[in-house]
Amino acid sequence: MSSSQQEGAAVPASAKGSWSSFLKSIASFNGDLSTMTAPPFILSSTSLVEYSSYWAEHPSLFVAPTSEQDPAKRAMLVLKWFLSTLKQQYSSRNEKLGSEKKPLNPFLGELFLGRWNDEAGETQLVSEQVSHHPPVTAYSIWNDKHGIRLQGYNAQKASVSSTINVKQIGHAILHIDAFDEDYLITLPSLHIEGLITGSPFVELNRTSYIQSSSGYTAKIDYKGRGWLSGKKNTFSATLFPSGKEKEVLYTVEGQWNDSFTIKGSMKNVVEKFDAKAAKISPLLIADLEEQDSMESRRAWAKVAAAISKGDMDATSREKSLIENAQREMRKKEKEENREWERRFFTRKETSPVFEALVKKGGLQEELDLDKTSGVWAFDSEKASSVKPPFRKEIPTEV
Ligand code: HC3
């Protein structure tokens, strides 16, 4: 083991003890990431409800499939957009903060609302914590000008072997109005690397799929370090007519945090995509004082400030205030025999679009209602009745 790989090499001197206790404690961990207690230096001041925004930080890639007439090319553009989101989803925090930190655990009803305004027009985001036990986040992202929307929800189930393995439970569905086309997007599994040294980062593993109603399947295999290239964050993807895996129309290979190449069926290079150079559009959110008390950044403002100052007493004090208020709300709801009314989403028992696409692609994916507390669907009726301050004007510039 080199010195840079030694236990706690990246941990501040004052936190070495707490890091090794943390590593020991995860051995007996129960699978619910929200109950994991991590040392202060690894806490993030961002709530998990914000992570939904990673799906559309390149709005022009998100809307690109809407203007492609050929269904196979359209499916390839959906695959390209999906692959372009991975760097943001799984390695942007690492790059910004130096390592993967433990996000704030969203409370029931927590909201994260915003929009992107750029050459793709307006793309809007609603993310809501629809369940606390188990933790589930639901989101809807749409661009009316281009007639495209993404709706999904996700939970995580973790297990510990030599590292933390995370299975994502849930899925996303992309709908394109002009072609009345749906794409089922399954979510990759991941594990945490760099735990021993104290600088955790995400590596994706196994396989995820994108299944279109137009009859194309994209299969994405995540490999990680040690595979042929020896590089981390490696993947290879193929796009084929559903049920004909050998009739590959496009292959994509590379690193999701760096660059990848899309090739046609004759091995001709269709495009090289540089994830590092791709322009990210800033998400516009309302000023803190304009936000509702259920909006994430406002609700967690004092906790976030305490974390940034490294003041752990204030962090636990402010966190407890939120947790106690939540406990009181749940108690009251129980006494009144009602449950918290979600602002934008409704719980369903099934998803006909999910079922149809799983069947079309012969996928093994199943809904797991227990682990996600139901299937969560964006409820446009609820959403249109949400009055300010939830949907008030958001500044058009950052
Ligand atoms: C596992 C994870 C929380 C869940 C994060 C998810 C799966 C959330 C949905 C997003 O769309 C994609 C996504 C990206 C990263 C996932 C996080 C990575 C680490 C975090 C754990 C709860 C933190 C573990 C603690 C520690 C100390 C290792 O950082």
Side-chain angles (χ1 to χ4, degrees):
M1 196 186 265
S2 78
S3 61
S4 63
Q5 290 172 318
Q6 266 162 16
E7 180 165 329
V11 177
S14 60
K16 295 230 188 266
S18 60
W19 187 249
S20 75
S21 310
F22 170 70
L23 292 182
K24 284 185 194 118
S25 75
I26 58 175
S28 54
F29 165 65
N30 70 4
D32 178 353
L33 286 165
S34 64
T35 63
M36 180 185 272
T37 324
F41 84 93
I42 208 87
L43 298 183
S44 152
S45 54
T46 303
S47 164
L48 206 51
V49 79
E50 289 203 21
Y51 287 31
S52 310
S53 63
Y54 294 134
W55 284 108
E57 295 200 316
H58 307 118
S60 43
L61 295 180
F62 175 62
V63 304
T66 64
S67 38
E68 175 55 63
Q69 296 302 312
D70 179 78
K73 284 191 189 151
R74 206 155 53 236
M76 181 272 282
L77 289 174
V78 171
L79 172 62
K80 177 185 162 193
W81 154 74
F82 169 78
L83 294 170
S84 80
T85 69
L86 298 179
K87 180 174 188 294
Q88 293 308 108
Q89 297 260 22
Y90 302 104
S91 77
S92 58
R93 295 162 303 280
N94 214 37
E95 282 164 19
K96 237 186 350 205
L97 309 168
S99 81
E100 186 70 51
K101 308 256 176 187
K102 183 173 187 303
L104 291 168
N105 181 26
F107 55 85
L108 179 59
E110 186 176 327
L111 297 167
F112 187 61
L113 313 175
R115 68 171 183 222
W116 296 266
N117 238 319
D118 62 4
E119 61 277 10
E122 183 179 72
T123 307
Q124 303 194 56
L125 161 77
V126 164
S127 178
E128 178 171 4
Q129 191 69 11
V130 288
S131 170
H132 187 61
H133 288 302
V136 184
T137 310
Y139 49 87
S140 179
I141 298 175
W142 69 98
N143 182 307
D144 284 336
K145 182 176 160 203
H146 292 273
I148 187 161
R149 58 178 186 269
L150 176 78
Q151 293 175 6
Y153 63 96
N154 58 273
Q156 296 86 37
K157 173 103 186 100
S159 64
V160 175
S161 51
S162 53
T163 182
I164 304 174
N165 301 297
V166 180
K167 180 171 162 31
Q168 296 201 66
I169 307 161
H171 61 267
I173 291 174
L174 182 77
H175 181 84
I176 304 180
D177 292 344
F179 308 101
D180 193 15
E181 203 165 74
D182 289 305
Y183 292 81
L184 168 66
I185 299 165
T186 73
L187 308 171
S189 292
L190 58 102
H191 66 269
I192 309 288
E193 293 209 356
L195 269 179
I196 294 290
T197 56
S199 77
F201 66 93
V202 169
E203 185 58 274
L204 299 179
N205 44 45
R206 300 179 199 239
T207 304
S208 77
Y209 295 89
I210 304 178
Q211 177 60 46
S212 80
S213 56
S214 53
Y216 296 95
T217 308
K219 183 176 181 223
I220 307 127
D221 289 315
Y222 305 92
K223 303 291 183 187
R225 208 199 295 277
W227 184 62
L228 289 179
S229 72
K231 291 177 181 162
K232 65 177 188 174
N233 305 156
T234 310
F235 73 91
S236 80
T238 50
L239 179 82
F240 48 88
S242 303
K244 298 177 180 165
E245 200 169 337
K246 298 248 149 57
E247 291 178 27
V248 174
L249 300 171
Y250 293 96
T251 55
V252 192
E253 279 176 345
Q255 284 172 282
W256 50 260
N257 70 326
D258 196 321
S259 62
F260 52 82
T261 306
I262 306 174
K263 289 186 182 162
S265 54
M266 308 304 285
K267 308 247 179 300
N268 50 311
V269 174
V270 174
E271 195 186 327
K272 287 189 181 201
F273 181 78
D274 184 348
K276 285 195 164 149
K279 184 177 151 264
I280 284 161
S281 224
L283 179 72
L284 307 169
I285 61 167
D287 292 340
L288 225 52
E289 59 281 9
E290 297 288 310
Q291 291 181 17
D292 184 81
S293 57
M294 297 301 278
E295 282 186 71
S296 185
R297 295 228 182 140
R298 179 163 184 163
W300 290 107
K302 290 187 177 157
V303 174
I307 291 177
S308 316
K309 276 195 245 147
D311 182 343
M312 281 308 116
D313 290 340
T315 304
S316 0
R317 205 171 47 242
E318 294 299 339
K319 262 192 184 171
S320 299
L321 287 176
I322 295 178
E323 284 157 9
N324 293 341
Q326 284 290 308
R327 251 178 241 123
E328 278 308 306
M329 282 163 84
R330 298 297 85 81
K331 197 171 144 217
K332 193 153 183 282
E333 285 155 18
K334 204 167 174 196
E335 285 162 6
E336 294 171 2
N337 198 21
R338 60 180 173 87
E339 75 165 321
W340 173 259
E341 182 68 32
R342 280 73 174 171
R343 307 252 170 205
F344 293 94
F345 295 86
T346 294
R347 181 192 280 121
K348 304 265 182 200
E349 292 289 304
T350 187
S351 162
V353 177
F354 172 92
E355 301 294 358
L357 292 176
V358 161
K359 198 166 166 206
K360 186 155 214 142
L363 307 183
Q364 300 301 312
E365 207 77 7
E366 280 178 4
L367 296 172
D368 192 337
L369 274 62
D370 284 346
K371 295 207 175 76
T372 55
S373 189
V375 170
W376 293 95
F378 185 70
D379 189 327
S380 41
E381 215 166 287
K382 271 189 182 175
S384 59
S385 68
V386 174
K387 297 269 181 306
F390 291 108
R391 304 306 309 282
K392 82 179 89 53
E393 273 306 291
I394 293 172
T396 46
E397 282 171 28
V398 231

